[in-house]
Amino acid sequence: MIVPGAEYEELAHLDDLTTTGTVASGHTNPADYVGVTHADLPTVPAVPGTQIDGYFPDTSHTNTNHGWNHDAQFVIRLPREWNGGLVVSGAPGVRAQYSNDLAISDYVLSLGYAYASTDKGNTGIEFYKDSKQPGDALVEWNDRVTELARAAREAVEKHYGQPADEVIAAGASNGGYLVRWQLENHPELYTRGVDLEGTLWSADGPNPFMSLPQAIKGYEQGSPELIVAAGFDPASEFLWEFHYTVYWKLTQRIYTAALDPSYDGSDVDYDYTQRPDARAALERVTLTGNLGRPLATIHGTYDCLLPIGHHSDAYADLVRSAGRSDLHTYRRVEAGNHLDGLVDAHPDRLVPLVPLLREAISTPS
């Protein structure tokens, strides 16, 4: 085994590790990254090298990539021309290990970085079933990124004959949460991190449970005031119908199932302040702001899933309270939304954020 701890792995020497080549060769899954980027995101030249696909020991089976039906899947890409660095990523949302292939992998490979990504150990809208106790699935997310970072560092050293001189944690949404948690809890594994619109999972709040129920209620009652009070920019109203239909109710439902499975009421009636079980579950995965390595955060003001005030503004406050502001660079982007895929539908109203994520990865803070 090239990847320490892996239960299974497949190694392939490819003429092109970017999505241009891996879609054709079957070494990615475009369904994993649909909607993550906008159509005008620049493509990069072919990058030859070695790809390792595999999985770590696990007992759940939500990830169907490769027909393996096995979770804890990972991908590691090792460019032939290496710049000495490694980028480690965890999937956003409840997606799988190829979800950052367009947004992050293509770009960093073109710069010479090695790249590693994990499915976080559970995937899909029933990810919460990979739990014995409330919060287990999210605890596993953090554990799987730590596991991959350690294994990828060793795999890189074996492959190139020397350790990486720079290890960057990078991710978006729940992947951005993972970056924050890693830099707070395992700074020894990284030199820095970049988080795009990271989720603030905080036992003390804010957290998604404090905005989504009110947004759902506001939409269903025809009250824009309630949606704005939940943290959403009034100028983003043109996006609310889409997010109510696709994201708000689903997100509230699946994370209630993951963190507060005993709740049997409606989405709009959910009150986190009255749910001690949810708080106890979140204590296991909470963020504190106590960064151990430099972090660059990017967030858009039109984020209609994770309102900027409740997530990145509040996280910046946590960092400040922890006395770590010297390690935190924070960029608020006017008219940036949660998914760059929506830029294609609203090119004159939304600003894509993935190019800024790429820029931050390539430019140390």
Side-chain angles (χ1 to χ4, degrees), residues 208-223:
F209 290 140
M210 294 176 158
S211 56
L212 289 174
Q214 189 170 356
I216 295 167
K217 180 184 291 187
Y219 189 87
E220 292 181 348
Q221 294 183 356
S223 174

Side-chain angles (χ1 to χ4, degrees), residues 10-346:
E10 292 181 354
L11 184 148
H13 301 292
L14 303 177
D15 293 330
D16 187 6
L17 294 170
T18 77
T19 51
T20 301
T22 54
V23 168
S25 67
H27 289 87
T28 188
N29 180 0
D32 280 0
Y33 51 78
V34 65
V36 172
T37 61
H38 69 302
D40 291 335
L41 185 71
T43 57
V44 300
V47 179
T50 299
Q51 176 160 321
I52 308 170
D53 292 288
Y55 52 79
F56 295 104
D58 199 1
T59 58
S60 58
H61 310 281
T62 63
N63 189 340
T64 61
N65 278 329
H66 304 289
W68 291 340
N69 298 318
H70 195 291
D71 290 344
Q73 290 192 37
F74 64 84
V75 58
I76 297 176
R77 298 190 174 108
L78 305 163
R80 187 178 301 162
E81 299 295 328
W82 184 49
N83 71 358
L86 167 66
V87 175
V88 178
S89 187
V94 291
R95 300 181 185 231
Q97 72 270 26
Y98 301 117
S99 52
N100 286 318
D101 278 9
L102 267 180
I104 299 177
S105 179
D106 280 3
Y107 181 68
V108 301
L109 289 169
S110 75
L111 300 178
Y113 287 97
Y115 172 79
S117 181
T118 171
D119 68 3
K120 309 193 302 285
N122 47 73
T123 67
I125 62 173
E126 294 188 328
F127 77 100
Y128 54 84
K129 291 187 175 180
D130 189 21
S131 300
K132 294 181 179 178
Q133 301 178 32
D136 278 356
L138 276 69
V139 169
E140 184 178 11
W141 292 357
N142 293 319
D143 290 344
R144 293 299 182 184
V145 176
T146 304
E147 173 183 57
L148 178 67
R150 288 172 174 156
R153 288 169 62 106
E154 290 192 41
V156 162
E157 185 169 0
K158 287 181 183 178
H159 184 77
Y160 294 109
Q162 64 185 74
D165 55 26
E166 183 179 30
V167 182
I168 304 168
S173 190
N174 276 332
Y177 157 75
L178 295 169
V179 171
R180 296 172 176 179
W181 193 94
Q182 289 294 310
L183 297 189
E184 290 181 7
N185 293 275
H186 287 288
E188 75 281 0
L189 296 177
Y190 309 93
T191 53
R192 60 186 176 95
V194 180
D195 108 70
L196 177 63
E197 60 212 8
T199 313
L200 180 53
W201 289 112
S202 169
D204 292 334
N207 59 58
F209 290 140
M210 294 176 158
S211 56
L212 289 174
Q214 189 170 356
I216 295 167
K217 180 184 291 187
Y219 189 87
E220 292 181 348
Q221 294 183 356
S223 174
E225 296 79 11
L226 285 177
I227 299 174
V228 172
F232 298 95
D233 191 319
S236 69
E237 185 172 2
F238 66 99
L239 298 167
W240 293 351
E241 180 178 6
F242 173 83
H243 283 80
Y244 168 79
T245 303
V246 177
Y247 286 109
W248 290 349
K249 292 187 291 182
L250 175 64
T251 301
Q252 176 66 23
R253 177 175 61 81
I254 64 177
Y255 288 104
T256 301
L259 295 160
D260 196 4
S262 66
Y263 180 73
D264 60 2
S266 68
D267 293 336
V268 297
D269 292 331
Y270 190 88
D271 182 353
Y272 175 75
T273 65
Q274 303 302 311
R275 301 300 303 172
D277 288 351
R279 181 183 178 86
L282 276 177
E283 289 281 5
R284 305 174 62 198
V285 297
T286 197
L287 293 171
T288 66
N290 189 26
L291 292 169
R293 288 287 186 270
L295 172 68
T297 293
I298 304 162
H299 208 124
T301 61
Y302 286 11
D303 194 319
C304 289
L305 181 59
L306 304 177
I308 189 170
H310 285 210
H311 291 274
S312 289
D313 286 358
Y315 187 68
D317 289 341
L318 281 179
V319 173
R320 192 175 304 112
S321 296
R324 299 293 185 172
S325 291
D326 60 318
L327 295 176
H328 194 211
T329 303
Y330 179 27
R331 183 172 182 178
R332 302 174 94 255
V333 182
E334 185 69 25
N337 181 242
H338 198 71
L339 286 174
D340 274 10
L342 290 174
V343 172
D344 298 330
H346 305 283

